[in-house]
Amino acid sequence: NTAKVFIDVQDENDHPPVFSRKLYIGGVTEDTKIFSSVLKIVATDKDTGNFSAMAYRLIIPPTAEGQDSFVIEVYTGIIKSAIMFRNMRRSYFKFEVIATDDYGKGFSSRSEVVVSVVNALDMQVVVSTVPPHLVEEKKEELIR
């Protein structure tokens, strides 16, 4: 006698997320409206199914006002403004983003984000307001 046997091999969550960059650099103008898109963060995972589905969150140092300056869409990785940036010309925000696979229940990885506040005419030179030591430390990532 013969019989057909079907074996379903299940993936195991054994790979952490990997960010497309070690440092993300973005910019906002002084007149950026609240909840405007600033930049998109991307992390991928070698696993399949839910084990490769990301949930993102931000780790932002507390401000004197107690309000976060940015928010992130949990499943898309889009960072949006959460405050008005008037009178902050030539300042910048530095924070971390964390990607966690399995919709936020699995392995995690971190990356850095720097967002400069510039006037609308200076938007094309955003990198110039990023602290030079950060640019030097991450130059290999920025050049590619």
Side-chain angles (χ1 to χ4, degrees):
N1 286 337
T2 62
K4 287 186 180 180
V5 177
F6 295 95
I7 299 173
D8 184 18
V9 177
Q10 298 287 317
D11 187 22
E12 181 180 318
N13 190 10
D14 55 350
H15 294 95
V18 176
F19 281 96
S20 61
R21 300 180 153 262
K22 291 181 182 165
L23 173 66
Y24 290 87
I25 295 177
V28 292
T29 59
E30 295 170 298
D31 60 351
T32 296
K33 295 184 180 6
I34 294 177
F35 299 120
S36 295
S37 294
V38 176
L39 60 107
K40 181 176 174 68
I41 303 299
V42 177
T44 56
D45 192 311
K46 290 182 181 178
D47 292 309
T48 60
N50 286 354
F51 295 141
S52 66
M54 297 298 144
Y56 298 95
R57 64 188 170 102
L58 300 178
I59 304 295
I60 301 176
T63 62
E65 301 81 32
Q67 181 183 8
D68 286 340
S69 39
F70 298 93
V71 294
I72 193 165
E73 290 183 353
V74 175
Y75 299 115
T76 66
I78 296 173
I79 295 177
K80 295 185 173 191
S81 59
I83 61 170
M84 299 294 288
F85 299 98
R86 289 197 172 87
N87 303 318
M88 290 187 180
R89 189 161 190 250
R90 296 293 177 205
S91 63
Y92 67 92
F93 296 86
K94 181 181 174 189
F95 51 93
E96 285 186 313
V97 62
I98 296 176
T100 306
D101 64 14
D102 195 11
Y103 289 107
K105 297 180 276 186
F107 293 113
S108 296
S109 294
R110 295 172 181 254
S111 188
E112 290 180 279
V113 179
V114 175
V115 178
S116 295
V117 180
V118 296
N119 110 0
L121 298 174
D122 294 338
M123 193 60 164
Q124 63 270 25
V125 291
V126 165
V127 175
S128 68
T129 61
V130 174
H133 72 278
L134 273 178
V135 173
E136 185 61 29
E137 289 170 15
K138 309 292 182 181
K139 68 182 173 186
E140 295 301 317
E141 285 293 314
L142 295 170
I143 292 171
R144 60 177 179 130

